[in-house]
Amino acid sequence: MRGSQWVPGVGAAATYEARWLPRDVVAGLVLTTLLVPQGMAYAELAGLPAITGLYTSILCLVAYAIFGPSRVLVLGPDSALGPMIAAVVVPIVLADGDPGRAVALASVLALLVGLFMTVAAVAQLGFVADLLSHPTQLGYINGLAVTIFFGQLPKLFGFSVEGEGLFADIRGFVTGLDATVPAAVGIGAGGLAVILVLQRFLPRVPGILVAVVGAIAAVTVLGLDDVDVVGPLPQGFPPFTIPLVSLQELGMLAAAAVGITLVSATDTISTASTFAARAGREVHGNQEMAGIGAANLAAGLFQGFPVSTSGSRTAVAAAAGAKSQLTGLVGAAAITLMLLLVPGLLKDMPQPMLAAVVVAASIGLLDIDGMVRLWKQRRIEFALATAAFVGVAVLGVLPGIAVAVALSVLNVFRRAWWPYRTVLVKPAGVDGYHDLHQYPDGARMDGLVIFRFDAPLIFANARTFREEIRRLAQQEPRWIVIAAEPITDVDTTAADMLEELDEELNAKGISLVFAELKHPVKEKIDRYELTRTIDPAHFYPSLDDAVAAYRAGFGP
């Protein structure tokens, strides 16, 4: 990454157009109405005080405006990261009995995520976002959505439960229903209904803002003393703080930070790509990771917690006319002014209303249509998505990430292990040689078999390749021609296999021939000295050349 690319915000400021200012200011104020309630709600989802959600929102918006490359991307507390943060922070806090340590632990977690993101950006590791394939990401997110939904239901009904994991949450909710607070249900369920109805039928109306204002008004006017509220928020700008933790805690936080980094990078690059495509721009993964790394570092130094990109908030900013990251700076300034001038503005915010905001977010995360589409289009990827879903539901949020990543990697390995392979034939009236399964009536030459193997030839599939060639050798051909264009690599294990296989075929009077082999792969074969057994003349630039050579030697 060139030096000028480290701070894209400087270049953006230099090229800023004055005519964008009114739109950016309006979009920033509209965005604030979403940032405040969601930031507070997602902070509590992470097991932290609501105020930390506002601190986090301020700092990450400012940092990304300076170091982030996207013009409209909005970062902040995220519903998908909340349970991941809680999964590591809450058990540590409960173990030592000091709830005040939750903020320090979450801040260290943000610093670690920021550090990992920054190192990955410097090392040009933007490709790590590809470790979560779409099916496994879909299953993981659906599992997360269900976990969040049931985890917030008790709070929506005005009581709390003890437990960890989806099934414990469901059991606790069912057994605790006798502790339901009717007024809390009215506030929470009513607010949720308002959000969902407005999002569905009047998407331009800020449903969360309407629901929050209504809930605060209900608590104030009706005097609902049995409904828990947020209470007064601390006044002023978040203080600069260097959080301290023990080495043992640092190890646990680092493991969690790896998972959060992967999920956050994947989500950020995916969302950035979507909005950049609409504007005809390109996305550079390493620059995005540098931007989100800076946002997490800034949040961690001011009592914040890990952040990611929000597709919904970015969409709101874009729909409101945002033209640059000034939109985020306006939002950060508005939140700061609220904390400086009117910190008591949200003191009567009902806790069930915050739960309703989170539940609405969990419903938005759920993608049933995506699962149905996978079922119809590719059953194996549906199975991967289902396994990732079960991993989150049964093992928990953080182990679920490990399951999702492992499944993505195993899926790649499976494709290399059992690649598609076929015999090629020459169909009547069609140029070239094609798949026998597609053209079962295609012509084949006596004594010649053309075989295509659609993968690099490596240790994982060397046995599969050998067994396929042995099966074809039972037809007693003179030549087995490998259509090698899809073979992009040959490792040493495969090279040893080819040497043994060629000797075995030669003993039966069968020649192993290669066509369309890429030059870098041919160089490896020469380096492995495979031409000691494989005839150097049996390498042809095209299938037509190989077939012509066969005809010249053995007739039509």
Side-chain angles (χ1 to χ4, degrees):
M1 202 183 298
R2 297 191 303 270
S4 60
Q5 293 176 314
W6 282 109
V7 283
V10 174
T15 58
Y16 189 82
E17 299 183 24
R19 60 190 177 88
W20 293 348
L21 183 60
R23 291 188 178 184
D24 280 338
V25 171
V26 171
L29 295 176
V30 171
L31 184 62
T32 304
T33 66
L34 194 61
L35 290 171
V36 172
Q38 282 192 341
M40 297 172 68
Y42 296 162
E44 297 206 343
L45 175 63
L48 302 167
I51 185 63
T52 60
L54 302 184
Y55 291 165
T56 302
S57 298
I58 294 170
L59 271 303
C60 75
L61 289 171
V62 173
Y64 188 82
I66 299 171
F67 296 98
S70 173
R71 290 188 179 183
V72 297
L73 210 62
V74 177
L75 268 64
D78 185 62
S79 58
L81 298 189
M84 298 168 63
I85 299 168
V88 65
V89 168
V90 172
I92 296 176
V93 172
L94 291 178
D96 65 16
D98 182 9
R101 289 200 42 77
V103 174
L105 293 168
S107 295
V108 171
L109 192 57
L111 292 174
L112 289 171
V113 171
L115 176 63
F116 293 163
M117 283 282 191
T118 304
V119 170
V122 173
Q124 305 287 294
L125 298 179
F127 65 88
V128 299
D130 298 330
L131 286 178
L132 278 177
S133 67
H134 175 69
T136 50
Q137 188 178 6
L138 180 63
Y140 171 79
I141 291 296
N142 279 336
L144 200 60
V146 173
T147 300
I148 293 172
F149 180 86
F150 285 104
Q152 291 295 302
L153 279 184
K155 186 176 176 181
L156 194 73
F157 279 63
F159 62 92
S160 60
V161 299
E162 297 272 337
E164 183 177 345
L166 175 61
F167 298 112
D169 288 337
I170 295 174
R171 184 170 55 251
F173 172 69
V174 172
T175 58
L177 281 173
D178 56 350
T180 297
V181 178
V185 176
I187 293 289
L192 178 61
V194 169
I195 294 172
L196 296 179
V197 169
L198 290 179
Q199 285 179 346
R200 175 68 177 84
F201 297 105
L202 296 171
R204 291 188 175 275
V205 176
I208 293 179
L209 177 63
V210 172
V212 166
V213 171
I216 294 175
V219 169
T220 303
V221 174
L222 301 178
L224 302 178
D225 296 333
D226 53 347
V227 176
D228 290 337
V229 296
V230 171
L233 298 177
Q235 185 175 20
F237 193 78
F240 176 82
T241 306
I242 299 178
L244 300 175
V245 297
S246 68
L247 288 178
Q248 181 181 3
E249 292 169 341
L250 185 63
M252 298 174 65
L253 293 170
V258 171
I260 293 175
T261 298
L262 178 59
V263 171
S264 183
T266 302
D267 189 30
T268 296
I269 294 175
S270 174
T271 304
S273 299
T274 298
F275 284 92
R278 297 178 184 178
R281 302 189 184 95
E282 293 184 1
V283 167
H284 301 285
N286 295 310
Q287 292 180 358
E288 287 294 350
M289 294 179 76
I292 196 171
N296 278 279
L297 289 172
L301 291 173
F302 288 86
Q303 299 188 8
F305 51 88
V307 298
S308 183
T309 302
S310 169
S312 61
R313 277 167 282 181
T314 302
V316 167
K323 293 296 182 180
S324 73
Q325 283 298 328
L326 182 61
T327 294
L329 293 177
V330 171
I335 297 173
T336 302
L337 289 174
M338 184 193 75
L339 293 177
L340 289 172
L341 305 178
V342 283
L345 184 64
L346 301 174
K347 64 182 178 63
D348 291 325
M349 168 90 77
Q351 292 286 358
M353 186 62 245
L354 292 181
V357 171
V358 175
V359 169
S362 72
I363 294 173
L365 287 175
L366 198 64
D367 188 356
I368 302 299
D369 290 341
M371 295 293 286
V372 172
R373 186 171 59 254
L374 286 181
W375 172 261
K376 293 178 178 178
Q377 295 177 349
R378 193 173 175 87
R379 298 290 173 85
I380 184 64
E381 294 195 346
F382 174 82
L384 289 172
T386 302
F389 174 89
V390 173
V392 175
V394 175
L395 301 179
V397 175
L398 291 175
I401 297 176
V403 170
V405 172
L407 288 173
S408 293
V409 174
L410 286 174
N411 189 34
V412 174
F413 189 74
R414 177 191 64 82
R415 292 176 181 176
W417 194 356
W418 294 307
Y420 186 75
R421 56 265 190 200
T422 187
V423 169
L424 301 184
V425 296
K426 189 167 183 58
V430 180
D431 291 337
Y433 298 86
H434 301 276
D435 192 336
L436 173 65
H437 298 97
Q438 186 178 3
Y439 297 98
D441 297 327
R444 287 185 276 187
M445 294 182 63
D446 291 337
L448 177 68
V449 176
I450 303 176
F451 175 69
R452 193 182 72 206
F453 192 78
D454 292 353
L457 198 51
I458 58 175
F459 70 96
N461 57 34
R463 181 188 297 272
T464 301
F465 181 90
R466 182 180 61 195
E467 295 308 314
E468 288 288 341
I469 297 299
R470 284 175 173 172
R471 183 180 61 80
L472 295 174
Q474 293 175 4
Q475 303 173 22
E476 299 183 352
R478 293 188 181 95
W479 278 18
I480 297 177
V481 177
I482 308 300
E485 195 274 336
I487 299 178
T488 56
D489 190 20
V490 175
D491 70 4
T492 56
T493 302
D496 292 341
M497 177 274 297
L498 287 174
E499 184 174 7
E500 295 172 1
L501 180 61
D502 186 62
E503 291 176 347
E504 179 184 320
L505 294 175
N506 288 340
K508 297 179 180 180
I510 302 172
S511 295
L512 190 62
V513 179
F514 291 84
E516 301 179 337
L517 193 66
K518 290 178 170 62
H519 179 67
V521 182
K522 178 61 168 60
E523 285 185 331
K524 290 182 180 179
I525 284 180
D526 292 338
R527 191 161 59 248
Y528 298 150
E529 298 182 347
L530 284 179
T531 49
R532 292 177 305 178
T533 57
I534 301 176
D535 189 341
H538 284 171
F539 292 88
Y540 296 94
S542 70
L543 286 174
D544 287 335
D545 290 328
V547 172
Y550 178 81
R551 283 177 173 158
F554 300 99

